Amino acid sequence: MEEMIVEEVVELLEQADDAQLKDYLDNLNISDVEHLIDELPEHAVKFIDTLAVNRAVNVFRILDFPTQERILKKLPGTKLAELINLLPPDDRTALFSELKGDAVKKLIILLPAADRLEALSLLGYKENSVGRLMTPDYVAVKTHWTIARVIEHIRWYGKNSETIDVIYVIDDDGVLLDDIRIREVLLADPQSKIGDLADNRTIALNANDPQEEAINVFRMNNRVALPVVDDSNVLLGIVTVDDILWLANEEYTEDIHKIGGTQALDEPYLDMPLLGLVKKRIGWLVVLFLGEMLTATAMAHFQEDIEKAVILAMFVPLIISSGGNSGSQASTLIIQAMALGEITVSDWWRIMRREIQSGLLLGVALGAIGFLRIFAWAQFTDIYGPHWLLIGLTVGVALVGVVLWGSLSGSMLPLVLKRLGADPATSSAPFVATLVDVTGLIIYFSVAVMFLKDVLL
């Protein structure tokens, strides 16, 4: 179906029939127009310019930022002014916060005086704060109003609101008292007071809270919108669930990139310039490479022991990979649990106890498998010599220690970073694996010295 749409639009473009193209585009779903822009990016400006302005706004707001930026640079002045003016305040703020300073100034000038003040006010909040997400388009009523007056107010002002699913009750000073679902208003006695419906169980966001906090609050509460207040509980705006879903997707993508050991990409992978992609990846690779160089230092420290018992070198990849894998597992589990709000930094002791127990069980399981492998080979070959039992115990006990240490490191690093104010996702799997590689070698050879001293060493 989508391919058919693309073919038909290409044919209309070749015929240069703008009137028929406009009719065709105006009858498509918004998602179909977005797909057209993805498939035919060179015609993106024409599509937005051809669409009726209200539909153009709805398409523009769901495009990724690089595409939006390209369109803004080439869109005719009249259509650009209409587009910027009709963008919802929260989408407009998100766009302005991504653009360079000069571009923002040029676009803000296109806004009416009231909208210009509103945009500057929203941009005054810290980046990544709830204030940048909110829209001031909502329906607020006074606590002493009757239901009949409230419904009349909704009829007059509801069309300009981001949503009328929820009505906000405020006092004369603008302080938020409650939020009431429209269903309750419609079913209430027209002569009763709106304040009679209030239950004083309002859930609100603070404009200065981090946006991640808004994601957690929406996740824990079944709401289509939440009010945003200042430190004095004065109602400033609302945040709707569509903005939260968009934000959650961006946060998830950013965390996945960091867990993989790279900086978050600013645009889709295939649209990213090659040098930009390399720049995003090289930093962590250099750090991890320098970290891995410490493994050579650790092995050099035990060089004499390795020369005496070369057989020990055979198990180095096994040991360090087992520790790195257990650390990566623990790190991923903890980061995800923190993102979902299941655990906090204050739970560190419970997490440590749990990882000690699971690390020991996992280590014993892998250690037993490693010992059984050496035992089985020793029955059919002389590769391990007469001291195969001691070598088997060395590998088995070392695996217990390395896997336990990997589990502890992987689980505690995200908590430490969170406590220091850093992003826990930066304790990525590659970083944990590198740390455990180096320390795992020290554990392995220390255990070897303990078991094989005066025998092979």
Side-chain angles (χ1 to χ4, degrees), residues 223-293:
R223 299 296 183 96
V224 296
L226 281 176
V228 180
V229 298
D230 62 12
D231 294 333
S232 300
N233 206 41
V234 172
L235 181 61
L236 301 175
I238 64 172
V239 173
T240 51
V241 70
D242 59 324
D243 294 319
I244 292 299
L245 290 173
W246 190 274
L247 174 66
N249 180 64
E250 289 185 339
E251 290 289 331
Y252 174 77
T253 302
E254 183 179 338
D255 286 348
I256 289 297
H257 288 160
K258 288 181 178 178
I259 289 173
T262 182
Q263 295 181 40
L265 303 184
D266 301 323
E267 50 189 298
Y269 173 80
L270 291 177
D271 294 338
M272 194 79 181
L274 180 59
L275 290 180
L277 189 62
V278 171
K279 185 179 178 182
K280 291 289 185 181
R281 297 169 66 178
I282 190 64
W284 266 112
L285 280 179
V286 170
V287 171
L288 296 173
F289 178 75
L290 294 174
E292 288 289 1
M293 288 177 67

Side-chain angles (χ1 to χ4, degrees), residues 118 121-122 125 130-131 134-138 170 174-176 205-208 226-239:
E118 180 181 86
S121 173
L122 291 174
Y125 291 102
V130 170
M134 71 179 181
T135 174
D137 294 336
Y138 56 89
I170 59 176
V175 174
L176 177 66
L205 303 168
N206 188 289
N208 297 310
L226 281 176
V228 180
V229 298
D230 62 12
D231 294 333
S232 300
N233 206 41
V234 172
L235 181 61
L236 301 175
I238 64 172
V239 173

Side-chain angles (χ1 to χ4, degrees), residues 79-98:
K79 193 59 170 270
L80 178 61
E82 291 177 333
L83 185 71
I84 294 301
N85 274 280
L86 289 177
L87 268 179
D90 51 342
D91 292 312
R92 189 190 299 145
T93 302
L95 175 65
F96 286 176
S97 65
E98 293 278 3

Side-chain angles (χ1 to χ4, degrees), residues 136-172:
D137 294 336
Y138 56 89
V139 175
V141 298
K142 300 293 181 65
T143 185
H144 59 273
W145 288 5
T146 63
I147 297 298
R149 183 177 177 183
V150 168
I151 292 176
E152 187 65 22
H153 182 78
I154 294 171
R155 288 198 181 102
W156 276 100
Y157 298 102
K159 63 182 179 181
N160 296 321
S161 175
E162 183 87 358
T163 175
I164 58 170
D165 290 347
V166 183
I167 309 302
Y168 300 95
V169 183
I170 59 176
D171 65 12
D172 292 335

